Amino acid sequence: EVQLVQSGAEVKEPGESLKISCKASGYSFTGYWIGWVRQMSGKGLEWMGIIYPADSDTRYSPSFQGQVTISADKSINTAYLQWSSLKASDTAMYYCARRIAGGGADYWGQGTLISVSS
Amino acid sequence: QSALTQPPSASGSPGQSVTISCTGTSSDVGGYNYVSWYQQHPGKAPKLMIYEVTKRPSGVPDRFSASKSGNTASLTVSGLQAEDEADYYCSSYAGSSNFGIFGGGTKLTVL
C-alpha cells in the first residue's frame, strides 16, 4: 500500500527555521517525482516545487523560488521541505504528493500544519 | 499562469446529478489530455478522483465521470450521496516548464 506520512504540526515564530518531512512507503521512492503543495486557510491548492529522488533534480514554482528548499534522502525514502526564515505568511497546511504523468498527484500525505506567529 | 476557473459552489439533492466546470486556455486544459480532479473533505488531504481527463483510479465510484471540450473540462457526479459533499479541484498540465495549475475549487453541497 502506497503511503506518504508527514511530520507533525509546528508552531513557530517569525525568523525561525523549519524542516518538515514526508516519508514514503509501498512503492519505489526513486521512481516518481514528489511534490509539495501549499494550502492557506480557506484557500486553494498551489504547487510549490517538485523533486525526483533518484537524482535530486529539483524544480520550484516561481512563486516559491528562493523562499523554500526541497530535498530528499533516498536512503530513507523521505522528502523534505524547509524554510530558513519563516514569515507569518507561511502559515498554511502543506501537503506532499506523489506525482503522476501530466502533473497530477495520485497519493497525498496527510498534511502538516505550520503556524507562524509572534 | 492564472488558476483555472471553477464555479465557487454547486449543489444538488441526493440522487441527482451535478456537473462542475473547469475552464482554462489552449495552453493548459485545451492543449493536453492531462486534466485531474480532486475531492477534499474538510480537514482532509485531497484525493485523486479523475486523471488524464476521464480515467478513474481504482476505488473511485463510477458515479464520478469527467470529460473535456475545448478549453473546458467537466466533472459529473451522478446519484449524489451525502458523502460527496466536499470541495472539488481541477488541475491541468501546462507544459514542461510548469508544474501544473489548479482551479480555485468548487464547494459541492448535497441539499
Side-chain angles (χ1 to χ4, degrees):
Chain A
E1 178 195 9
V2 174
Q3 283 193 307
L4 298 174
V5 178
Q6 297 183 228
S7 49
E10 301 272 3
V11 178
K12 292 289 191 179
E13 294 189 356
E16 291 189 308
S17 63
L18 176 64
K19 190 174 189 176
I20 63 175
S21 65
C22 169
K23 182 168 178 60
S25 61
Y27 74 99
S28 174
F29 183 61
T30 53
Y32 292 81
W33 290 82
I34 288 273
W36 287 94
V37 175
R38 183 177 77 174
Q39 186 171 38
M40 302 180 81
S41 181
K43 302 297 185 183
L45 305 168
E46 304 172 85
W47 284 109
M48 302 175 68
I50 57 176
I51 187 165
Y52 192 63
D55 59 8
S56 290
D57 183 4
T58 308
R59 303 173 191 183
Y60 296 93
S61 166
S63 300
F64 295 95
Q65 179 81 47
Q67 308 304 308
V68 297
T69 301
I70 293 170
S71 60
D73 185 340
K74 61 185 179 184
S75 70
I76 55 172
N77 292 355
T78 301
Y80 301 96
L81 176 66
Q82 68 181 86
W83 295 259
S84 58
S85 180
L86 286 160
K87 309 180 188 68
S89 57
D90 292 319
T91 295
M93 182 70 81
Y94 294 87
Y95 295 101
C96 63
R98 189 178 81 164
R99 299 261 294 187
I100 57 176
D106 59 352
Y107 289 92
W108 295 68
Q110 83 276 19
T112 296
L113 181 62
I114 307 300
S115 299
V116 184
S117 173
S118 55
Chain B
Q1 197 127 15
S2 300
L4 305 175
T5 301
Q6 297 182 236
S9 63
S11 63
S13 299
Q16 289 187 330
S17 294
V18 64
T19 296
I20 299 170
S21 63
C22 170
T23 301
T25 69
S26 58
S27 296
D28 38 67
V29 174
Y32 307 94
N33 287 323
Y34 283 123
V35 176
S36 304
W37 289 91
Y38 303 89
Q39 176 191 65
Q40 187 179 34
H41 287 110
K44 299 294 187 183
K47 175 186 175 183
L48 180 68
M49 304 301 284
I50 298 286
Y51 67 102
E52 293 179 12
V53 182
T54 61
K55 298 178 180 178
R56 274 180 290 106
S58 174
V60 172
D62 59 7
R63 302 185 294 103
F64 291 85
S65 62
S67 62
K68 187 185 82 165
S69 178
N71 297 336
T72 298
S74 300
L75 173 72
T76 297
V77 186
S78 305
L80 270 175
Q81 299 182 4
E83 68 214 47
D84 300 332
E85 185 162 294
D87 292 326
Y88 290 83
Y89 293 91
C90 63
S91 173
S92 175
Y93 185 68
S96 58
S97 61
N98 191 295
F99 300 141
I101 51 176
F102 288 103
T106 297
K107 182 175 180 59
L108 174 60
T109 301
V110 180
L111 301 170

